[in-house]
Amino acid sequence: MKTIILGFAGGCVRQVTNIFSDQIVSLSEKQLISIEYPGHPLQMHQPLMTNSTDLIQYLSSTIIQKCKNEDFQIVGYSMGATLIPFISEVLNRLGYKPKKLILLSADTPFLEKLYKIDTKSVLSLLIKSGLPSSIQQNKKARDFFITVMKSDLEILNDLSNRIKNTPLSIGDINTFFISGQDDPNTSRNFIYWKSLYPKAKFRTFPGGHFFAFDPKNNWNDYFSSIL
């Protein structure tokens, strides 16, 4: 079974792939496929997207192309996790049903609060998400990632507006939500996602929004067990 990896806002999917590779590669029947968002570091030849419908369609089409008639599961981190229900809905309509969905630090598209996209706020988010100091000090590189993050926040804002009138459904797909105990939004996120997917499984581990990047964290065994 193939495993699709989707990354977080403002970064490179390889950052997420690296923390999963040991768990996934150790299971020989699974094939890891990382999908970079257009305009991000591994897809710089493509234009950035600011419309959620376009990105969801792009990701859905890419998953179908890469998986074809093979079984697959989708793992997403932060923005990638938030996109999964929308992608899954499109895939289901087209007859491509994922076997499993694993959403790590899935942000709720809060209707009452959109993301700020001014440069100062965006740079602060990038630093929190682990932007290396070498990039922070390089204006060209820093400006590139600021532009990427602004584009991704437009996507999340678009999802916030879209979800008002678009009920989501992932049917009976085996679904897992995993978040950090110290992430200030975890409780509210779980309440929101549980209202949509009462049959999903929910689990927290020590740490904040990027809990999975802490090598001292003991979430690896659980993650391996649900793959």
Side-chain angles (χ1 to χ4, degrees), residues 194-210:
K194 283 180 180 179
S195 70
L196 292 181
Y197 314 123
K199 294 183 179 180
K201 298 176 179 64
F202 294 81
R203 183 75 180 264
T204 61
F205 285 90
H209 191 72
F210 292 96

Side-chain angles (χ1 to χ4, degrees), residues 87-209:
I87 296 168
S88 177
E89 202 168 43
V90 172
L91 293 173
N92 282 336
R93 288 202 305 267
L94 297 175
Y96 294 89
K97 182 179 178 180
K99 291 294 183 180
K100 192 179 299 178
L101 305 174
I102 302 176
L103 296 83
L104 297 108
S105 293
D107 285 323
T108 304
F110 298 128
L111 305 184
E112 73 277 13
K113 181 181 179 182
L114 299 182
Y115 291 92
K116 295 180 180 179
I117 57 173
D118 60 279
T119 299
K120 183 178 180 180
S121 298
V122 169
L123 181 58
S124 176
L125 280 174
L126 283 168
I127 293 172
K128 288 180 181 178
S129 64
L131 188 71
S133 57
S134 58
I135 293 179
Q136 295 177 40
Q137 295 166 12
N138 182 313
K139 184 179 186 305
K140 185 176 180 180
R142 183 179 69 244
D143 288 349
F144 168 77
F145 279 98
I146 287 173
T147 300
V148 169
M149 178 63 94
K150 284 184 176 181
S151 174
D152 290 347
L153 294 181
E154 289 281 6
I155 293 288
L156 291 170
N157 286 344
D158 194 26
L159 289 177
S160 295
N161 290 319
R162 174 178 174 169
I163 202 172
K164 293 178 182 178
N165 301 309
T166 307
L168 289 168
S169 173
I170 55 177
D172 58 352
I173 300 173
N174 202 10
T175 304
F176 300 83
F177 288 85
I178 311 172
S179 291
Q181 295 171 358
D182 301 326
D183 187 332
N185 293 324
T186 290
S187 295
R188 188 159 72 157
N189 285 347
F190 275 10
I191 290 172
Y192 174 84
W193 292 119
K194 283 180 180 179
S195 70
L196 292 181
Y197 314 123
K199 294 183 179 180
K201 298 176 179 64
F202 294 81
R203 183 75 180 264
T204 61
F205 285 90
H209 191 72

